[in-house]
Amino acid sequence: MKINLENIFEFVPKKQVYALREELNRNQQLLHEKSGKGNDFLGWLNLPSSITDSELSQIESVASDLRSKSDVVVIVGIGGSYLGAKAVIEALSHSFASMIPHSGNPTVVFAGQNISEDYHSELLEMLDKVRYSVVVISKSGTTTEPALGFRLLRNHLEAKVGKAEAASRIVAITDESKGALRKLANQEGYRTFVIPDDVGGRYSVLTPVGLLPVAIAGFSIRELVKGAADAEQQTAPSVKFEENPACLYAAARNALYEKKKVVEIMVNYNPKLHFLAEWWKQLYGESEGKEQKGIFPASVDFTSDLHSLGQYIQEGERMIFETVLTIAEPKTKLNIPNDPENLDQLNFISGKRLSEVNRMAELGTILAHIDGGVPNIVIEIPRLDAYWVGYLLYFFEKACALSGYTLGVNPFDQPGVEAYKKNMFALLGKPGFEVQGEQLRKRLE
Ligand code: PA5
């Protein structure tokens, strides 16, 4: 993986970025000596190097069982219990996977990541017609959205195949001993995997939370973990600042933030990366957005969004910097055909690969945005495969923790997420929330 900071130095001098070297080195120490904020949530740091062959085999074996008995597997979860799996599966899947018959892979769909009645009704309607299994994921075991989604699915599956068969088609991933989901899983005899206590939701993609769905979708979790393990090594404290991509990225974004670049846009030129950016937004948004500070993480899919948000990025409020996530070599080759009539006047590029046009769009946009006052960080991976996705996951996690410490916040808590939940419970009339409910209803009159 290459990280290129050259295009930020006309906005923030290189000296100023590199001046953060000492601070980043200190933050590496805080993380690895477990002496910084949130130090009881650092289990993710060594996940790639510590996961055992037998743990991977166990995940693969359950995945293979569910694959053999399902046309569709529903993954139930929200936030960190959803986005990692979704990001990896979208990045690695054929763009039209669900429309290709006999691929040998079940279709993986998601539930409980929203509470839309239409979404869940239509999901159940589709599940009426197929053989399916369910993986329910909740670290706390008490989150409302997945609990509701799972209640609907369990009810549907038990009515369809009977209670005993349903239990063999349900796998729960949750806390070792606490929470409603653990209790239910024990009572119903579901197979389970544990989310370690010291791994927070948004840092959990390299636990069974991400690995089981990815294995069910038919991708190599061993390659994913191998890539992450290499990133673990290459971002370790022993790697000096100048060669450590996590330190460089964390330093660059904090230096830009000091220059009032308060919005970071993750840019891709391949729609397979759309959900990787969604995962990244949760990771950075929940980790850094607190104490009235933090960079706001946003994302765009180019070139599509150059025809919408591109205008704002080029000429709107100058508070933005971009991080372009780029892939050196596409999986496939597609040449532009020649057209004797040339009515679209595109013969000047006939014979070229589509990826060359995409690359020129990328390079041209980077230069245009720099001219428009938008600094660019470029992160390049050679190929979009399981190894490099695993590498990116760990790289972004490590950089996020370092960046959060540099900003001075605890990157491992999310106190702000509670506010909406309390209001929702109060408005729904949950016992214990009566007074708050009355106050809120008055405000809504
Ligand atoms: O990062 C986090 O901790 C959150 O986004 C959680 O992943 C999310 O709220 C879901 O929580 P749970 O897995 O407990 O259902």
Side-chain angles (χ1 to χ4, degrees):
M1 192 194 83
K2 290 185 202 151
I3 177 161
N4 180 352
L5 304 183
E6 287 305 315
N7 296 329
I8 69 168
F9 295 141
E10 74 180 70
F11 301 91
V12 50
K14 187 169 180 175
K15 239 171 74 188
Q16 210 168 316
V17 178
Y18 280 61
L20 289 167
R21 180 193 289 108
E22 292 315 313
E23 190 162 350
L24 263 302
N25 289 342
R26 258 197 315 278
N27 292 339
Q28 281 274 40
Q29 240 179 328
L30 287 181
L31 267 182
H32 287 267
E33 289 172 359
K34 300 193 191 297
S35 51
K37 289 181 183 171
N39 56 9
D40 41 354
F41 281 102
L42 294 175
W44 58 273
L45 257 180
N46 308 107
L47 274 176
S49 58
S50 62
I51 193 160
T52 62
D53 187 66
S54 121
E55 284 168 324
L56 289 170
S57 299
Q58 219 186 327
I59 294 170
E60 286 165 340
S61 146
V62 172
S64 141
D65 178 57
L66 294 187
R67 283 166 61 81
S68 72
K69 50 169 81 138
S70 322
D71 305 314
V72 173
V73 179
V74 190
I75 312 293
V76 187
I78 196 166
S81 293
Y82 155 61
L83 283 162
K86 176 79 177 166
V88 177
I89 292 170
E90 290 287 314
L92 300 179
S93 292
H94 189 289
S95 304
F96 303 96
S98 65
M99 290 165 159
I100 297 175
H102 316 301
S103 71
N105 291 318
T107 303
V108 173
V109 298
F110 293 84
Q113 82 282 34
N114 63 60
I115 5 183
S116 157
E117 188 158 341
D118 286 346
Y119 183 92
H120 287 87
S121 302
E122 288 166 13
L123 173 65
L124 295 179
E125 188 187 315
M126 180 273 288
L127 293 175
D128 275 339
K129 304 177 189 81
V130 296
R131 293 177 313 150
Y132 77 97
S133 307
V134 178
V135 177
V136 54
I137 309 175
S138 178
K139 181 170 186 215
S140 62
T142 54
T143 308
T144 309
E145 291 91 335
L148 275 172
F150 183 55
R151 182 186 274 223
L152 291 166
L153 285 159
R154 185 177 150 226
N155 186 49
H156 184 270
L157 188 59
E158 286 180 355
K160 189 172 177 186
V161 299
K163 213 169 156 57
E165 177 62 18
S168 77
R169 288 165 181 257
I170 294 173
V171 176
I173 307 180
T174 188
D175 185 87
E176 192 168 15
S177 54
K178 296 188 295 286
L181 181 56
R182 167 56 60 187
K183 204 167 154 201
L184 185 67
N186 289 348
Q187 182 188 300
E188 301 294 320
Y190 302 151
R191 280 172 290 180
T192 61
F193 288 96
V194 170
I195 310 174
D197 267 352
D198 58 358
V199 180
R202 59 190 175 275
Y203 292 85
S204 69
V205 57
L206 296 164
T207 71
V209 169
L211 298 180
L212 182 63
V214 169
I216 290 170
F219 301 111
S220 168
I221 55 173
R222 289 176 192 267
E223 278 298 299
L224 192 84
V225 168
K226 197 162 145 216
D230 284 350
E232 182 185 329
Q233 224 176 41
Q234 287 162 29
T235 59
S238 56
V239 180
K240 59 180 189 209
F241 175 87
E242 294 76 3
E243 286 158 21
N244 192 318
C247 289
L248 290 171
Y249 181 50
R253 49 201 307 288
N254 276 279
L256 288 164
Y257 182 60
E258 278 171 28
K259 293 277 178 197
K260 302 281 175 265
K261 298 293 184 190
V262 296
V263 175
E264 177 177 10
I265 303 182
M266 178 64 65
V267 177
N268 73 69
Y269 284 81
N270 183 334
K272 288 177 193 282
L273 295 174
H274 175 87
F275 276 95
L276 201 81
E278 295 299 309
W279 170 83
W280 169 87
K281 286 195 294 201
Q282 189 216 356
L283 180 63
Y284 281 75
E286 267 191 352
S287 298
E288 293 193 318
K290 50 196 71 158
E291 300 175 27
Q292 318 280 303
K293 50 188 179 181
I295 295 168
F296 183 80
S299 64
V300 288
D301 298 327
F302 283 171
T303 59
S304 314
D305 289 333
L306 283 172
H307 297 259
S308 63
L309 290 172
Q311 171 60 37
Y312 189 103
I313 298 169
Q314 190 69 48
E315 293 183 346
E317 187 100 28
R318 300 298 71 194
M319 59 185 176
I320 295 170
F321 70 97
E322 288 175 322
T323 296
V324 180
L325 187 52
T326 186
I327 305 159
E329 188 57 36
K331 279 189 185 139
T332 52
K333 284 203 167 111
L334 187 58
N335 291 90
I336 298 161
N338 190 56
D339 179 353
E341 291 194 36
N342 197 25
L343 289 177
D344 55 14
Q345 298 180 358
L346 286 175
N347 273 356
F348 76 103
I349 45 172
S350 69
K352 285 190 192 297
R353 287 177 65 183
L354 209 53
S355 56
E356 196 178 333
V357 182
N358 208 19
R359 175 66 73 187
M360 292 311 127
E362 179 180 326
L363 296 177
T365 305
I366 288 176
L367 294 179
H369 287 179
I370 292 169
D371 293 344
V374 179
N376 271 276
I377 298 170
V378 180
I379 293 173
E380 183 184 276
I381 54 169
R383 290 172 304 285
L384 189 57
D385 59 17
Y387 175 91
W388 285 108
V389 172
Y391 192 103
L392 281 177
L393 294 173
Y394 188 89
F395 156 74
F396 278 126
E397 287 179 352
K398 183 69 186 278
C400 183
L402 290 170
S403 182
Y405 277 176
T406 308
L407 184 69
V409 299
N410 175 356
F412 308 112
D413 66 359
Q414 55 285 327
V417 176
E418 293 310 309
Y420 98 90
K421 291 185 192 166
K422 286 188 192 136
N423 284 358
M424 175 177 75
F425 290 143
L427 289 171
L428 283 169
K430 186 171 178 174
F433 288 80
E434 291 79 2
V435 178
Q436 203 179 339
E438 207 172 307
Q439 287 165 351
L440 291 176
R441 272 187 287 277
K442 274 202 190 111
R443 283 173 61 191
L444 290 172
E445 272 166 20

